[in-house]
Amino acid sequence: MRTVAVAPDIDPTLTLRESDIRRLFNPGTLSAGRSYEQRGRVQELEISERGARITATTQGSRPDPYLQDVKISPSASNGIQVRGICSCPVRRGCKHIAAVLIAALRQQGPATRHQAAAQQQAAEQQAIQQQGHLSLMPTARPKAPAGLPPQIEYWLAELDRTEEEEPTEDFPSSIRNRVFYVLSAPAGTDGQTGRLAIDPMTVSLLKHGGLGSIKRYAPHQVTTPAKYLRPSDRIILQRLDRRVGFTSQLADDDPADTLRRILATGRARWASAEGPALAEGPERQGQIVWATNPDASQRPTVVLDEGLIPIRIPAPWYVDPAAGTMGPVALDLPRRLASRLLDAPAIPPEAAAEVRAHLSQRAAVRNVPVPAEMRPPEAVRTRMQPHLRLINGTLPNDPSVGRGSAKPLGHGLFAVPLVRLSYQYGPVTLPRSSRPLPRITVHDGTLYEVERDRAAEQQALAELARIGFASVNEVVPVYYQHAHTDDFGLRENGGPTNWLHVVTQEVPQLRAAGWTVEIDHDFPVQIVSADTEIEAELSEGSGESSGIDWLELHLGVTVDGQHVDLVPALVKLIARPEAAALAEGPDDKPFVLPLPDGRLLTLPMARIRPTLQALLELWSNGGIDGEAEHLRFSRMDAADLAALEQRSGLIWRGGESLRSLGRSLREAGGVPNATIPPSFLATLRPYQAQGVDWLQFLGASGLGGVLADDMGLGKTVQTLAHLAIEKAAGRLDRPSLIVCPTSLIPNWTNEARRFAPNLTVLPLHGSARKAGFKHIPKHDLVLS
């Protein structure tokens, strides 16, 4: 490592070198400074006796010159250290300080520069001796002849830098990061045209062309330039004073040039990094008019064609987001007069006439716009009607602390539900504000003077406090400037009240009391109601894996013209531990059901209670799978389905045969008793009679089944009785097949002849069985 220091035996006069200046400034700033110095803009240059301080003035684009004060001190690593400050908006590292240092270098003269070179050489030799060994020094560059002007010395030195990579605006394929310049125009106060805001963003480009991570540009990257910075970025970021979220006048004496440089990069975006790309467009015509504010004051603003947004930089420009262009605005006024007009404060109505007269008399041109002549205000004396608006706000914390619907947005911000109160007096709406409201307000061009009912306004505030609301100012730090200063959020200690309770219970009560309530479309708690009655529909489905035929139950309503199936949401609700209390409460209590899209469906409890109770009973009996998204019923669930249909009180469609079977079962109180025909000669024991009843029920229902009595309990005689009933009823229209061990065929044959002689029996077994196949259709019972 090579160390450079000031040798103690050399004259300690501090002397600038060309390399010092190149080290301090980027090429763009240095080039601009050199141009200023060559044009003679550096004036009143003074250098202290030992060169430790340099002062000067430099003429910029403004009438008054900027002041520069530069201090130079020794540095162990770089020979000298330079610190300078300028009165221009950039303050440090600007082209004015560069111009002053170049002028000081020129004034030093050749002799002083040679002395500085000797100082640096002696310091390097001393550093090598202190290290105790010789270092391999890089090959020295050719030195320019002594006595040349600084410009020529700089040019010759730059010739030796050809081996270095030339700065370019092109991005290597390996570099995926970019600086995007997000431009916006925050709304001005009192109708004032918004000033341009520039927010540099670091954006990573994805291989498929989309945008990856987006974050604000870090200021430290200016002093340690990142590889993705282009020469244009270094100039622009330095002119922006390395600040992020810059919202005041551009930190440069030529803001229009800075903006044009930003647009020329091709990386300017409107409103956000994903917004439309911006390029410079042609000049557009505009005019200055006096706009009337809600408090009846007037202020000049720029009016453009539809779709164009006026901004100030401070000169008027326009933005056309649809076309992706922005450019200057032409006004029918001198530039200086137009700028002064746009800087006008808000003119209250009582001062409008005097300002109008003054402008008409003193204006340098005839077409200068003047404030409108305002008529005397109309008095408003009417009853106050409270108006509440439910909005989605943005705050640094959640006022309701978990009892609301706040969602984190990142960067320490939350989307928070809030309410905004205003007072309606006839045609005039006054916002609730902790600050004094103007005495006169304007609506549709007419001035009004409202006689306010302070008692009614206080009563409205007290009603909000009763519900559980508190002013946002009570829960948000006072240093945080936000748009919700006068809004309300739920208090942390506001009791059991939550936003669902507010929307479903308190809002209807407020409306009944005469309040008007408006709910924004993006408010996080959206309540909807059903347009139709609930209808139950059974649709056919098939269980592919089990082979069981299913009927799926759908409980449908129409919400905002769309059909919604309530079953998935109801299954999730009744699967919760607290589901037993779902059907409790008075009939006028709203039942709230979360829908899949986040909306909340409200149904009168009297309307949904029977269905809830039936589903809860079905759940308690194990008839509902809490993990499923549907309610399925097979023929074996006929009785449960009949109970659900009976208790729900709903309109049912589909699945008529299953519903009929279920109703029959419920009406009979269980499996009905079968009637044994006289042709069957056996006497059945009671449990055998129940088995025959079960077989008859399965047959009548179209179901299959298994008679699983133990061996020796009479399964044969029960089956013969079942077949005898079928033949007596005329339903035995084809042979029935009995498959059994060969040793039991004689037993089946004997019992059939003994107990059911009306049944014709054909045994098929042994080598001769094939001869009997042709006789099968003539028999009731085939044994094999």
Side-chain angles (χ1 to χ4, degrees):
M1 179 181 295
R2 186 180 65 170
T3 303
V4 180
V6 178
D9 57 333
I10 301 295
D11 188 340
T13 299
L14 297 169
T15 308
L16 277 173
R17 302 184 301 274
E18 182 73 26
S19 60
D20 295 324
I21 300 177
R22 290 200 306 270
R23 174 174 52 82
L24 293 171
F25 301 95
N26 63 52
T29 303
L30 186 59
S31 176
R34 196 176 303 281
S35 174
Y36 266 38
E37 191 275 336
Q38 291 174 349
R39 290 153 61 186
R41 291 200 173 192
V42 179
Q43 305 166 5
E44 302 179 14
L45 177 67
E46 294 185 6
I47 305 175
S48 66
E49 181 178 354
R50 300 202 176 269
R53 185 174 184 183
I54 303 173
T55 58
T57 62
T58 303
Q59 184 65 50
S61 58
R62 297 182 181 179
D64 298 328
Y66 297 120
L67 306 179
Q68 295 80 41
D69 189 350
V70 182
K71 295 180 181 180
I72 302 176
S73 59
S75 172
S77 59
N78 294 317
I80 63 171
Q81 185 176 12
V82 181
R83 293 187 177 90
I85 191 168
C86 179
S87 62
C88 76
V90 178
R91 302 291 288 168
R92 301 180 185 277
C94 63
K95 57 189 175 185
H96 311 110
I97 295 179
V100 169
L101 293 178
I102 293 170
L105 179 65
R106 180 193 298 274
Q107 185 169 314
Q108 284 179 173
T112 307
R113 289 196 295 276
H114 293 162
Q115 183 183 26
Q119 286 180 341
Q120 181 170 355
Q121 184 177 5
E124 291 179 358
Q125 293 296 331
Q126 183 190 40
I128 293 173
Q129 294 172 2
Q130 290 175 349
Q131 290 178 355
H133 63 276
L134 294 176
S135 299
L136 294 177
M137 304 298 293
T139 303
R141 291 175 176 171
K143 295 184 178 179
L148 291 177
Q151 293 88 343
I152 299 178
E153 286 189 358
Y154 177 76
W155 172 68
L156 291 175
E158 288 297 309
L159 288 179
D160 297 325
R161 298 167 59 89
T162 56
E163 75 278 2
E164 299 179 5
E165 183 179 351
E166 186 70 19
T168 175
E169 288 296 314
D170 297 331
F171 287 91
S173 59
S174 60
I175 294 180
R176 309 296 300 176
N177 283 357
R178 304 287 189 271
V179 173
F180 277 19
Y181 298 94
V182 177
L183 310 182
S184 60
T189 58
D190 297 331
Q192 194 175 27
T193 301
R195 288 185 178 269
L196 176 66
I198 304 175
D199 203 357
M201 295 283 184
T202 299
V203 177
S204 63
L205 303 184
L206 302 177
K207 291 184 178 181
H208 59 75
L211 301 184
S213 63
I214 302 173
K215 57 184 178 181
R216 282 185 168 84
Y217 179 81
H220 71 273
Q221 292 174 339
V222 176
T223 56
T224 307
K227 292 182 178 180
Y228 57 82
L229 290 184
R230 303 296 94 186
S232 58
D233 294 321
R234 300 186 185 189
I235 297 174
I236 294 168
L237 293 171
Q238 189 161 15
R239 288 190 178 190
L240 295 181
D241 201 17
R242 306 172 185 173
R243 281 187 283 178
V244 174
F246 187 71
T247 55
S248 61
Q249 178 178 325
L250 287 174
D252 185 66
D253 58 352
D254 195 354
D257 178 69
T258 300
L259 179 55
R260 286 188 167 98
R261 288 175 182 267
I262 290 174
L263 296 174
T265 65
R267 291 179 270 112
R269 299 292 185 270
W270 180 248
S272 70
E274 298 93 342
L278 295 177
E280 185 172 357
E283 186 178 67
R284 304 292 290 266
Q285 185 66 37
Q287 61 176 333
I288 295 180
V289 300
W290 286 81
T292 304
N293 299 318
D295 62 354
S297 66
Q298 299 180 70
R299 196 165 200 167
T301 186
V302 177
V303 176
L304 301 169
D305 292 339
E306 186 177 358
L308 303 183
I309 302 173
I311 59 173
R312 295 190 64 191
I313 65 169
W317 275 48
Y318 72 88
V319 179
D320 187 350
T325 59
M326 63 187 305
V329 174
L331 301 170
D332 296 331
L333 291 172
R335 182 176 62 86
R336 187 177 295 274
L337 177 58
S339 178
R340 289 179 177 176
L341 272 174
L342 293 174
D343 288 335
I347 308 300
E350 57 269 19
E354 185 174 348
V355 172
R356 178 186 177 93
H358 183 86
L359 288 179
S360 300
Q361 296 173 5
R362 300 287 297 275
V365 292
R366 295 181 179 179
N367 62 342
V368 62
V370 296
E373 185 176 355
M374 309 297 288
R375 295 182 179 180
E378 298 182 10
V380 177
R381 298 179 178 87
T382 185
R383 183 179 66 87
M384 188 276 292
Q385 183 181 28
H387 176 77
L388 198 65
R389 179 181 165 197
L390 280 63
I391 64 175
N392 190 24
T394 302
L395 292 176
N397 61 338
D398 176 14
S400 56
V401 190
R403 293 182 298 106
S405 298
K407 296 181 179 179
L409 300 176
H411 305 292
L413 297 176
F414 293 85
V416 179
L418 301 170
V419 296
R420 181 170 294 171
L421 176 65
S422 56
Y423 310 120
Q424 292 179 329
Y425 289 92
V428 179
T429 300
L430 299 179
R432 179 268 171 186
S433 176
S434 56
R435 295 158 296 197
L437 295 177
R439 181 177 58 87
I440 298 175
T441 187
V442 63
H443 178 71
D444 290 340
T446 302
L447 298 186
Y448 295 96
E449 186 173 2
V450 179
E451 183 176 318
R452 298 173 60 181
D453 187 346
R454 304 286 184 174
E457 293 178 6
Q458 288 297 322
Q459 185 177 357
L461 290 172
E463 182 66 11
L464 290 184
R466 178 199 64 79
I467 296 174
F469 287 109
S471 174
V472 169
N473 273 341
E474 299 179 17
V475 292
V476 175
V478 295
Y479 61 82
Y480 183 81
Q481 300 298 319
H482 52 83
H484 304 292
T485 302
D486 296 317
D487 297 331
F488 297 85
L490 284 177
R491 293 193 305 265
E492 179 180 358
N493 56 350
T497 301
N498 54 38
W499 281 104
L500 181 60
H501 173 82
V502 169
V503 176
T504 59
Q505 308 259 343
E506 299 293 347
V507 166
Q509 293 183 20
L510 291 176
R511 285 172 172 160
W515 290 50
T516 57
V517 182
E518 175 188 1
I519 302 178
D520 284 5
H521 72 280
D522 61 345
F523 186 71
V525 184
Q526 290 291 333
I527 303 295
V528 294
S529 56
D531 303 329
T532 59
E533 294 293 329
I534 303 175
E535 290 187 356
E537 181 179 6
L538 287 169
S539 62
E540 293 185 0
S542 178
E544 297 180 358
S545 60
S546 62
I548 300 176
D549 290 331
W550 299 94
L551 289 179
E552 287 187 358
L553 175 63
H554 303 277
L555 301 176
V557 294
T558 301
V559 178
D560 292 338
Q562 294 183 340
H563 181 79
V564 178
D565 185 11
L566 306 183
V567 168
L570 286 172
V571 170
K572 289 182 179 179
L573 276 184
I574 62 179
R576 295 178 179 177
E578 64 275 13
L582 284 177
E584 297 178 356
D587 286 347
D588 58 353
K589 172 187 174 182
F591 175 76
V592 181
L593 186 65
L595 299 180
D597 59 4
R599 294 179 299 172
L600 301 174
L601 175 65
T602 58
L603 299 166
M605 179 59 76
R607 181 175 168 186
I608 193 66
R609 191 196 310 275
T611 303
L612 278 177
Q613 291 174 337
L615 289 175
L616 289 171
E617 182 178 349
L618 193 59
W619 164 263
S620 64
N621 294 332
I624 296 180
D625 181 4
E627 300 296 328
E629 294 185 358
H630 306 282
L631 286 179
R632 289 180 172 181
F633 296 91
S634 71
R635 291 185 176 274
M636 290 181 289
D637 302 314
D640 290 336
L641 182 63
L644 179 61
E645 178 180 3
Q646 183 181 21
R647 298 193 59 180
S648 67
L650 302 178
I651 302 171
W652 286 69
R653 292 185 293 110
E656 281 76 9
S657 61
L658 182 60
R659 290 162 50 209
S660 176
L661 173 61
R663 286 193 295 270
S664 299
L665 285 173
R666 291 187 62 81
E667 291 171 0
V671 177
N673 295 327
T675 302
I676 306 297
S679 60
F680 187 73
L681 304 178
T683 302
L684 299 176
R685 295 184 175 89
Y687 72 87
Q688 292 174 335
Q690 290 181 358
V692 175
D693 296 342
W694 172 244
L695 291 174
Q696 281 292 299
F697 164 71
L698 292 178
S701 304
L703 298 172
V706 176
L707 185 61
D709 283 348
D710 289 341
M711 181 179 293
L713 294 185
K715 293 186 292 296
T716 301
V717 73
Q718 294 179 56
T719 304
L720 291 173
H722 169 64
L723 294 176
I725 296 173
E726 293 297 295
K727 185 169 183 177
R731 295 189 292 266
L732 198 62
D733 56 355
R734 68 196 69 183
S736 296
L737 176 64
I738 298 294
V739 180
C740 63
T742 303
S743 61
L744 294 184
I745 287 181
N747 183 64
W748 272 95
T749 304
N750 293 332
E751 291 202 10
R753 290 173 180 172
R754 179 182 176 188
F755 300 126
N758 286 352
L759 295 178
T760 56
V761 180
L762 174 64
L764 288 177
H765 67 93
S767 58
R769 65 182 180 277
K770 290 184 180 180
F773 284 177
K774 60 184 178 182
H775 302 298
I776 291 177
K778 300 177 182 180
H779 292 78
D780 299 320
L781 185 61
V782 178
L783 305 175
S784 182

